[in-house]
Coordinates of all heavy atoms in Angstrom, one line a residue:
M942 N 97.3 49.5 109.4 CA 98.3 50.5 109.4 C 98.3 51.3 108.0 O 98.2 50.7 107.0 CB 99.7 49.8 109.6 CG 100.8 50.7 109.4 SD 102.5 50.2 109.7 CE 102.5 48.4 109.7
V943 N 98.5 52.6 108.1 CA 98.6 53.4 106.9 C 100.0 53.5 106.5 O 100.9 53.7 107.3 CB 98.0 54.8 107.2 CG1 98.2 55.7 106.0 CG2 96.6 54.8 107.6
R944 N 100.3 53.3 105.3 CA 101.7 53.3 104.8 C 101.8 54.4 103.7 O 101.1 54.3 102.7 CB 102.1 52.0 104.3 CG 103.6 52.0 103.9 CD 104.0 50.6 103.5 NE 105.4 50.7 103.0 CZ 106.4 50.0 103.6 NH1 106.2 49.2 104.5 NH2 107.6 50.2 103.1
I945 N 102.7 55.3 103.8 CA 102.9 56.3 102.8 C 104.1 55.8 102.0 O 105.1 55.4 102.5 CB 103.3 57.7 103.5 CG1 102.3 58.1 104.5 CG2 103.5 58.7 102.4 CD1 100.9 58.4 104.0
V946 N 103.9 55.7 100.7 CA 105.0 55.3 99.8 C 105.2 56.3 98.7 O 104.4 57.1 98.4 CB 104.6 53.9 99.2 CG1 104.5 52.8 100.2 CG2 103.3 54.0 98.4
A947 N 106.4 56.2 98.1 CA 106.7 57.1 97.0 C 106.7 56.2 95.7 O 107.2 55.1 95.7 CB 108.1 57.7 97.2
D948 N 106.1 56.7 94.7 CA 106.0 56.0 93.4 C 107.1 56.4 92.5 O 107.2 55.9 91.4 CB 104.7 56.3 92.7 CG 103.5 55.6 93.3 OD1 103.8 54.5 93.9 OD2 102.4 56.0 93.2
G949 N 107.9 57.4 92.9 CA 109.0 57.8 92.0 C 109.2 59.3 92.3 O 108.6 59.8 93.2
P950 N 110.1 59.9 91.5 CA 110.4 61.3 91.8 C 109.1 62.2 91.7 O 108.5 62.1 90.7 CB 111.4 61.6 90.7 CG 111.8 60.4 90.1 CD 110.8 59.4 90.4
G951 N 108.8 62.9 92.7 CA 107.7 63.8 92.6 C 106.4 63.3 92.8 O 105.4 64.0 92.6
V952 N 106.2 62.0 93.1 CA 104.9 61.4 93.3 C 104.8 60.8 94.7 O 105.7 60.0 95.0 CB 104.5 60.4 92.2 CG1 103.2 59.8 92.5 CG2 104.6 61.0 90.9
S953 N 103.8 61.1 95.5 CA 103.6 60.5 96.7 C 102.2 60.0 96.8 O 101.3 60.6 96.2 CB 104.0 61.5 97.9 OG 103.1 62.6 97.8
R954 N 102.0 58.9 97.5 CA 100.6 58.5 97.6 C 100.4 57.7 98.9 O 101.4 57.2 99.5 CB 100.2 57.6 96.5 CG 100.6 56.1 96.6 CD 100.1 55.4 95.3 NE 101.0 54.3 95.2 CZ 100.9 53.1 95.8 NH1 99.8 52.9 96.5 NH2 101.8 52.2 95.6
S955 N 99.2 57.8 99.4 CA 98.9 57.0 100.6 C 97.7 56.2 100.3 O 96.5 56.7 100.2 CB 98.5 58.0 101.7 OG 98.0 57.3 102.8
P956 N 97.9 54.9 100.0 CA 96.8 54.1 99.6 C 95.6 54.0 100.6 O 94.5 54.0 100.2 CB 97.4 52.7 99.4 CG 98.8 52.9 99.5 CD 99.1 54.2 100.1
A957 N 96.0 53.9 101.8 CA 94.9 53.8 102.9 C 94.1 55.1 103.0 O 93.0 55.1 103.3 CB 95.6 53.5 104.2
L958 N 94.8 56.3 102.7 CA 94.0 57.5 102.8 C 93.3 57.8 101.4 O 92.5 58.7 101.4 CB 95.0 58.6 103.1 CG 95.7 58.5 104.4 CD1 96.7 59.7 104.6 CD2 94.7 58.5 105.6
G959 N 93.6 57.1 100.4 CA 92.9 57.2 99.2 C 93.2 58.4 98.3 O 92.4 58.8 97.5
Y960 N 94.4 58.9 98.4 CA 94.8 59.9 97.4 C 96.2 59.7 96.9 O 97.1 59.1 97.5 CB 94.7 61.3 98.1 CG 95.6 61.6 99.2 CD1 96.9 62.0 99.0 CD2 95.2 61.4 100.5 CE1 97.7 62.3 100.1 CE2 96.0 61.6 101.6 CZ 97.3 62.1 101.4 OH 98.1 62.3 102.4
T961 N 96.4 60.2 95.7 CA 97.7 60.2 95.1 C 98.0 61.6 94.7 O 97.1 62.3 94.1 CB 97.7 59.3 93.8 OG1 97.4 58.0 94.2 CG2 99.1 59.4 93.1
H962 N 99.1 62.1 95.1 CA 99.4 63.6 94.8 C 100.7 63.7 94.1 O 101.8 63.6 94.7 CB 99.4 64.4 96.1 CG 99.7 65.8 95.8 ND1 98.9 66.6 95.2 CD2 100.9 66.5 96.1 CE1 99.4 67.8 95.1 NE2 100.6 67.8 95.6
P963 N 100.7 64.0 92.8 CA 101.9 64.3 92.1 C 102.3 65.7 92.4 O 101.5 66.6 92.4 CB 101.6 64.1 90.6 CG 100.1 64.3 90.5 CD 99.6 63.9 91.9
V964 N 103.6 65.9 92.6 CA 104.1 67.2 92.9 C 105.0 67.6 91.7 O 106.0 67.0 91.4 CB 105.0 67.2 94.2 CG1 105.5 68.6 94.4 CG2 104.2 66.7 95.4
N965 N 104.5 68.7 91.0 CA 105.3 69.1 89.8 C 105.3 70.6 89.8 O 104.6 71.3 90.5 CB 104.7 68.5 88.5 CG 103.3 68.9 88.3 OD1 102.9 70.0 88.5 ND2 102.5 68.0 87.8
D966 N 106.1 71.1 88.9 CA 106.4 72.6 88.8 C 105.2 73.3 88.2 O 105.0 74.5 88.4 CB 107.6 72.9 88.0 CG 108.9 72.4 88.7 OD1 108.8 72.2 89.9 OD2 109.8 72.1 88.0
D967 N 104.3 72.7 87.4 CA 103.2 73.4 86.8 C 102.0 73.6 87.7 O 101.1 74.3 87.4 CB 102.7 72.5 85.6 CG 103.8 72.4 84.5 OD1 104.7 73.3 84.5 OD2 103.8 71.5 83.8
E968 N 102.1 72.9 88.9 CA 100.9 72.9 89.8 C 100.9 74.2 90.6 O 101.9 74.8 90.9 CB 101.0 71.7 90.7 CG 99.8 71.5 91.6 CD 100.0 70.2 92.4 OE1 101.1 69.7 92.5 OE2 98.9 69.8 92.9
D969 N 99.7 74.6 91.0 CA 99.5 75.8 91.9 C 100.2 75.5 93.2 O 99.9 74.5 93.8 CB 98.0 76.0 92.0 CG 97.8 77.2 92.9 OD1 98.7 78.1 93.1 OD2 96.7 77.3 93.5
P970 N 101.1 76.3 93.6 CA 101.8 76.1 94.9 C 100.9 75.9 96.1 O 101.2 75.1 97.0 CB 102.8 77.3 95.0 CG 102.9 77.9 93.7 CD 101.6 77.5 93.0
A971 N 99.8 76.6 96.1 CA 98.9 76.6 97.2 C 98.3 75.2 97.3 O 98.1 74.6 98.4 CB 97.8 77.6 97.1
V972 N 97.9 74.6 96.2 CA 97.3 73.2 96.1 C 98.4 72.2 96.6 O 98.1 71.3 97.4 CB 96.8 72.9 94.7 CG1 96.4 71.5 94.6 CG2 95.7 73.9 94.3
A973 N 99.6 72.3 96.1 CA 100.7 71.4 96.4 C 101.0 71.5 97.9 O 101.2 70.5 98.6 CB 101.9 71.7 95.6
L974 N 101.0 72.8 98.4 CA 101.3 73.0 99.8 C 100.2 72.3 100.7 O 100.6 71.7 101.7 CB 101.3 74.5 100.1 CG 101.8 74.9 101.5 CD1 103.2 74.5 101.8 CD2 101.7 76.5 101.6
E975 N 99.0 72.5 100.4 CA 97.9 71.9 101.2 C 98.0 70.3 101.2 O 97.8 69.7 102.2 CB 96.5 72.4 100.7 CG 96.2 73.7 101.2 CD 96.4 73.9 102.7 OE1 95.9 73.1 103.5 OE2 97.0 74.9 103.1
A976 N 98.3 69.8 100.0 CA 98.4 68.3 99.9 C 99.5 67.8 100.7 O 99.4 66.8 101.4 CB 98.5 67.9 98.4
L977 N 100.7 68.5 100.7 CA 101.8 68.1 101.4 C 101.6 68.2 102.9 O 102.0 67.4 103.7 CB 103.1 68.9 101.0 CG 103.6 68.6 99.6 CD1 104.7 69.6 99.3 CD2 104.1 67.2 99.5
K978 N 100.9 69.3 103.3 CA 100.5 69.5 104.7 C 99.6 68.4 105.2 O 99.7 67.9 106.3 CB 99.9 70.8 105.0 CG 100.9 72.0 105.0 CD 100.2 73.3 105.3 CE 101.2 74.4 105.3 NZ 100.6 75.7 105.7
A979 N 98.6 68.0 104.4 CA 97.7 66.9 104.7 C 98.5 65.6 104.9 O 98.2 64.9 105.9 CB 96.6 66.8 103.7
E980 N 99.4 65.3 104.0 CA 100.2 64.1 104.1 C 101.1 64.1 105.4 O 101.2 63.1 106.1 CB 101.0 63.9 102.9 CG 101.7 62.6 102.8 CD 102.4 62.3 101.5 OE1 102.2 63.0 100.5 OE2 103.1 61.3 101.5
H981 N 101.6 65.3 105.7 CA 102.5 65.5 106.9 C 101.6 65.2 108.1 O 102.1 64.5 109.0 CB 103.0 66.9 106.9 CG 104.1 67.2 107.9 ND1 103.8 67.6 109.2 CD2 105.4 67.0 107.9 CE1 104.9 67.7 109.9 NE2 105.9 67.4 109.1
R982 N 100.4 65.7 108.2 CA 99.5 65.5 109.3 C 99.2 64.0 109.4 O 99.2 63.4 110.5 CB 98.3 66.3 109.2 CG 98.4 67.8 109.5 CD 97.1 68.5 109.6 NE 96.4 68.5 108.4 CZ 96.4 69.3 107.4 NH1 97.3 70.4 107.5 NH2 95.7 69.2 106.4
A983 N 99.0 63.4 108.3 CA 98.6 61.9 108.3 C 99.8 61.1 108.8 O 99.6 60.2 109.6 CB 98.2 61.5 106.9
L984 N 101.0 61.5 108.4 CA 102.2 60.8 108.9 C 102.4 61.0 110.4 O 102.8 60.1 111.1 CB 103.4 61.3 108.2 CG 103.7 60.6 106.8 CD1 104.9 61.4 106.1 CD2 104.1 59.2 107.0
D985 N 102.1 62.2 110.8 CA 102.2 62.5 112.3 C 101.3 61.7 113.1 O 101.7 61.1 114.1 CB 101.9 64.0 112.5 CG 102.4 64.5 113.9 OD1 103.4 64.0 114.4 OD2 101.7 65.4 114.4
A986 N 100.1 61.5 112.6 CA 99.1 60.7 113.3 C 99.5 59.2 113.3 O 99.4 58.5 114.3 CB 97.7 60.8 112.7
Q987 N 100.1 58.8 112.1 CA 100.5 57.4 112.0 C 101.7 57.1 112.9 O 101.8 56.1 113.6 CB 100.9 57.1 110.6 CG 101.3 55.6 110.3 CD 101.6 55.4 108.9 OE1 101.6 56.2 108.1 NE2 102.0 54.1 108.6
I988 N 102.6 58.1 113.0 CA 103.8 57.9 113.9 C 103.4 57.8 115.4 O 103.8 57.0 116.1 CB 104.8 59.0 113.7 CG1 105.5 58.8 112.3 CG2 105.9 59.1 114.8 CD1 106.3 60.0 111.8
A989 N 102.4 58.7 115.7 CA 101.9 58.7 117.1 C 101.2 57.4 117.4 O 101.4 56.8 118.5 CB 100.9 59.9 117.3
A990 N 100.4 56.9 116.5 CA 99.7 55.6 116.7 C 100.7 54.5 116.8 O 100.6 53.6 117.7 CB 98.8 55.3 115.6
L991 N 101.7 54.5 116.0 CA 102.7 53.4 116.0 C 103.6 53.5 117.3 O 103.9 52.5 117.9 CB 103.6 53.5 114.8 CG 104.4 52.3 114.3 CD1 103.4 51.1 114.0 CD2 105.2 52.6 113.1
S992 N 103.9 54.7 117.7 CA 104.7 54.9 118.9 C 103.9 54.5 120.2 O 104.5 54.0 121.2 CB 105.1 56.3 119.1 OG 106.0 56.7 118.0
S993 N 102.6 54.7 120.2 CA 101.8 54.4 121.4 C 101.7 52.9 121.6 O 101.5 52.5 122.8 CB 100.4 55.0 121.3 OG 99.7 54.4 120.2
T994 N 101.8 52.1 120.6 CA 101.8 50.6 120.8 C 103.2 50.2 121.3 O 104.2 50.7 120.8 CB 101.5 49.9 119.5 OG1 102.5 50.2 118.5 CG2 100.1 50.3 119.0
G995 N 103.2 49.4 122.3 CA 104.5 49.0 122.9 C 105.5 48.4 122.0 O 106.7 48.6 122.1
G996 N 105.0 47.5 121.1 CA 105.9 46.8 120.2 C 106.1 47.4 118.8 O 105.9 46.7 117.8
A997 N 106.3 48.7 118.8 CA 106.4 49.4 117.5 C 107.6 48.9 116.7 O 108.7 48.7 117.3 CB 106.5 50.9 117.7
N998 N 107.5 48.7 115.4 CA 108.6 48.3 114.6 C 109.5 49.5 114.4 O 109.1 50.5 113.8 CB 108.0 47.9 113.2 CG 109.1 47.4 112.3 OD1 110.3 47.6 112.5 ND2 108.6 46.8 111.2
Q999 N 110.7 49.5 115.0 CA 111.6 50.7 115.0 C 112.0 51.0 113.6 O 112.2 52.2 113.3 CB 112.8 50.4 115.9 CG 112.4 50.2 117.3 CD 111.7 51.4 117.9 OE1 112.2 52.6 117.7 NE2 110.6 51.2 118.5
L1000 N 112.2 50.1 112.7 CA 112.6 50.4 111.3 C 111.5 51.1 110.6 O 111.7 52.1 109.9 CB 112.9 49.1 110.6 CG 113.5 49.2 109.2 CD1 114.7 50.1 109.1 CD2 113.7 47.9 108.6
E1001 N 110.3 50.7 110.7 CA 109.1 51.3 110.1 C 108.9 52.7 110.7 O 108.7 53.7 109.9 CB 107.8 50.5 110.3 CG 106.6 51.1 109.6 CD 106.7 51.0 108.1 OE1 107.5 50.3 107.5 OE2 105.9 51.8 107.5
L1002 N 109.1 52.9 112.0 CA 109.0 54.2 112.6 C 110.0 55.1 112.1 O 109.7 56.3 111.8 CB 109.1 54.0 114.1 CG 108.6 55.1 115.0 CD1 107.2 55.4 114.8 CD2 108.8 54.7 116.5
A1003 N 111.3 54.7 111.9 CA 112.3 55.5 111.4 C 112.0 55.9 110.0 O 112.3 57.1 109.6 CB 113.7 54.8 111.5
R1004 N 111.5 55.0 109.2 CA 111.2 55.3 107.8 C 110.1 56.4 107.7 O 110.2 57.3 106.9 CB 110.7 54.1 107.0 CG 111.8 53.1 106.7 CD 111.2 51.9 106.0 NE 112.3 51.0 105.7 CZ 112.1 49.7 105.7 NH1 110.9 49.2 105.8 NH2 113.1 48.9 105.5
L1005 N 109.1 56.3 108.6 CA 108.0 57.3 108.6 C 108.5 58.6 109.0 O 108.1 59.7 108.5 CB 106.9 56.8 109.5 CG 106.1 55.6 109.1 CD1 105.1 55.1 110.2 CD2 105.3 55.9 107.8
K1006 N 109.4 58.7 110.0 CA 109.9 59.9 110.5 C 110.8 60.6 109.4 O 110.7 61.8 109.2 CB 110.8 59.7 111.8 CG 109.9 59.4 113.0 CD 110.7 59.2 114.2 CE 109.9 59.0 115.4 NZ 110.7 58.8 116.7
K1007 N 111.6 59.8 108.7 CA 112.4 60.4 107.6 C 111.5 60.9 106.5 O 111.7 62.0 105.9 CB 113.3 59.3 107.0 CG 114.5 59.0 107.8 CD 115.4 58.0 107.2 CE 116.5 57.6 108.1 NZ 117.4 56.7 107.5
R1008 N 110.4 60.2 106.2 CA 109.4 60.7 105.2 C 108.8 62.0 105.6 O 108.6 62.9 104.9 CB 108.4 59.6 104.9 CG 107.3 60.0 104.0 CD 107.8 60.2 102.6 NE 106.7 60.7 101.7 CZ 106.8 61.5 100.7 NH1 108.0 61.9 100.4 NH2 105.8 61.9 100.0
K1009 N 108.5 62.1 106.9 CA 107.9 63.3 107.5 C 108.8 64.4 107.4 O 108.4 65.6 107.0 CB 107.5 63.0 108.9 CG 106.7 64.2 109.5 CD 106.3 63.8 111.0 CE 105.8 65.1 111.7 NZ 105.7 64.9 113.1
L1010 N 110.1 64.2 107.6 CA 111.1 65.3 107.5 C 111.3 65.7 106.0 O 111.4 66.9 105.8 CB 112.5 64.8 108.0 CG 112.5 64.7 109.5 CD1 113.9 64.1 110.0 CD2 112.4 66.1 110.2
R1011 N 111.2 64.8 105.1 CA 111.3 65.1 103.7 C 110.1 66.0 103.3 O 110.2 67.0 102.5 CB 111.4 63.9 102.8 CG 112.8 63.3 102.8 CD 112.9 62.2 101.7 NE 112.0 61.1 101.8 CZ 112.2 60.0 102.5 NH1 113.4 59.8 103.1 NH2 111.4 59.0 102.6
L1012 N 108.9 65.6 103.8 CA 107.7 66.4 103.5 C 107.9 67.8 104.1 O 107.5 68.8 103.4 CB 106.5 65.8 104.1 CG 105.9 64.6 103.3 CD1 104.8 63.9 104.1 CD2 105.4 65.0 101.9
K1013 N 108.4 67.9 105.3 CA 108.6 69.2 105.9 C 109.5 70.1 105.1 O 109.3 71.3 104.9 CB 109.2 69.0 107.3 CG 109.3 70.3 108.1 CD 109.8 70.1 109.5 CE 110.1 71.3 110.3 NZ 110.6 71.1 111.6
D1014 N 110.6 69.5 104.5 CA 111.5 70.2 103.7 C 110.8 70.7 102.4 O 111.0 71.8 101.9 CB 112.7 69.3 103.3 CG 113.7 69.1 104.5 OD1 113.6 69.9 105.5 OD2 114.5 68.2 104.4
Q1015 N 110.0 69.8 101.8 CA 109.3 70.2 100.6 C 108.3 71.4 100.9 O 108.2 72.3 100.1 CB 108.4 69.0 100.1 CG 109.3 68.0 99.3 CD 108.4 66.9 98.8 OE1 107.7 66.2 99.6 NE2 108.4 66.7 97.5
I1016 N 107.6 71.3 102.0 CA 106.7 72.4 102.4 C 107.5 73.7 102.6 O 107.1 74.7 102.1 CB 106.0 72.0 103.7 CG1 105.0 70.9 103.5 CG2 105.3 73.2 104.3 CD1 104.4 70.2 104.7
Q1017 N 108.7 73.6 103.2 CA 109.5 74.8 103.4 C 110.0 75.4 102.1 O 110.0 76.6 101.9 CB 110.6 74.5 104.4 CG 111.3 75.8 104.9 CD 110.3 76.7 105.7 OE1 109.6 76.2 106.6 NE2 110.3 77.9 105.3
R1018 N 110.4 74.5 101.2 CA 110.8 75.0 99.9 C 109.7 75.7 99.2 O 110.0 76.8 98.5 CB 111.3 73.8 99.0 CG 112.8 73.5 99.3 CD 113.3 72.6 98.2 NE 112.6 71.3 98.1 CZ 112.9 70.2 98.8 NH1 113.9 70.2 99.7 NH2 112.2 69.1 98.6
I1019 N 108.5 75.2 99.2 CA 107.4 75.9 98.6 C 107.1 77.3 99.3 O 106.9 78.3 98.6 CB 106.1 75.0 98.6 CG1 106.2 73.8 97.7 CG2 104.9 75.9 98.2 CD1 105.1 72.8 97.8
L1020 N 107.2 77.3 100.6 CA 107.0 78.5 101.3 C 108.1 79.5 101.0 O 107.8 80.7 100.8 CB 106.9 78.3 102.8 CG 105.7 77.5 103.3 CD1 105.9 77.2 104.8 CD2 104.4 78.3 103.1
D1021 N 109.3 79.1 100.9 CA 110.4 79.9 100.6 C 110.4 80.5 99.2 O 110.8 81.6 98.9 CB 111.8 79.2 100.8 CG 112.1 79.0 102.3 OD1 111.4 79.6 103.1 OD2 112.9 78.1 102.6
S1022 N 109.8 79.7 98.2 CA 109.7 80.1 96.8 C 108.8 81.2 96.7 O 108.8 82.0 95.7 CB 109.4 78.9 95.9 OG 108.0 78.6 96.1
N1023 N 107.9 81.4 97.6 CA 106.9 82.5 97.6 C 107.5 83.8 98.1 O 106.8 84.9 98.0 CB 105.6 82.2 98.4 CG 104.9 81.1 97.7 OD1 104.9 80.9 96.5 ND2 104.2 80.3 98.5
I1024 N 108.6 83.8 98.7 CA 109.3 85.0 99.2 C 110.3 85.5 98.2 O 111.2 84.7 97.9 CB 110.0 84.7 100.6 CG1 109.0 84.2 101.6 CG2 110.7 85.9 101.1 CD1 109.6 83.7 102.9
P1025 N 110.1 86.7 97.7 CA 111.0 87.2 96.7 C 112.4 87.4 97.2 O 112.6 87.8 98.4 CB 110.4 88.5 96.2 CG 109.5 88.9 97.3 CD 109.1 87.7 98.0
D1026 N 113.4 87.2 96.4 CA 114.8 87.5 96.8 C 115.1 88.9 96.6 O 114.8 89.5 95.5 CB 115.8 86.7 95.9 CG 115.8 85.2 96.3 OD1 115.4 84.9 97.4 OD2 116.2 84.4 95.4
I1027 N 115.5 89.6 97.6 CA 115.8 91.0 97.5 C 117.3 91.2 97.6 O 117.9 90.9 98.7 CB 115.1 91.8 98.7 CG1 113.6 91.6 98.6 CG2 115.5 93.3 98.6 CD1 112.8 92.3 99.7
T1028 N 117.9 91.6 96.5 CA 119.3 91.8 96.5 C 119.6 93.3 96.6 O 118.9 94.1 96.1 CB 120.0 91.2 95.3 OG1 119.3 91.8 94.1 CG2 119.8 89.7 95.2
A1029 N 120.7 93.6 97.3 CA 121.0 95.0 97.6 C 121.8 95.5 96.4 O 122.4 95.0 95.6 CB 121.9 95.1 98.8

C-alpha cells in the first residue's frame, strides 16, 4: 500500500513513490503544480485500489480522500494565483 504523509507545513512526501516535494513560495509555480497534480493522481489510484478491495479500511480511505481534497485546493490556489485581479 502506498501511503502519502505530511512531514510538516508545506512538505508532502510519498515514500513508496520515491519523491519528496516541498511546497514553498520561492518555487516555480509550474513545477509545484505538476508535482501536486502527480501526487493527486497517485492518491486517486490508491483510493481506487483500496476501494476495489472488499475489506477496505474506511478510516484510511477517509484520510486519503481528505488529503486528495487538500491537494485539489492547493492546485486551485496555484491556478488562481496566476490569474490577475482586475479591479474596476
Side-chain angles (χ1 to χ4, degrees):
M942 171 176 18
V943 177
R944 183 177 176 123
I945 308 293
V946 294
D948 282 335
V952 178
S953 60
R954 88 180 148 87
S955 172
L958 297 177
Y960 64 85
T961 299
H962 179 70
V964 179
N965 59 41
D966 295 334
D967 298 335
E968 187 174 17
D969 180 22
V972 173
L974 186 62
E975 283 307 310
L977 290 171
K978 284 182 177 181
E980 188 173 350
H981 189 269
R982 286 189 299 270
L984 276 171
D985 195 34
Q987 185 180 359
I988 289 168
L991 202 58
S992 296
S993 67
T994 61
N998 181 349
Q999 295 302 311
L1000 184 59
E1001 183 68 18
L1002 198 55
R1004 287 179 184 149
L1005 292 173
K1006 287 181 179 182
K1007 284 182 183 180
R1008 175 69 183 145
K1009 186 178 169 192
L1010 286 173
R1011 283 192 299 269
L1012 284 172
K1013 183 178 178 183
D1014 289 343
Q1015 284 181 302
I1016 290 167
Q1017 194 59 51
R1018 275 194 299 274
I1019 291 172
L1020 291 173
D1021 290 345
S1022 71
N1023 292 331
I1024 299 171
D1026 289 335
I1027 300 174
T1028 57

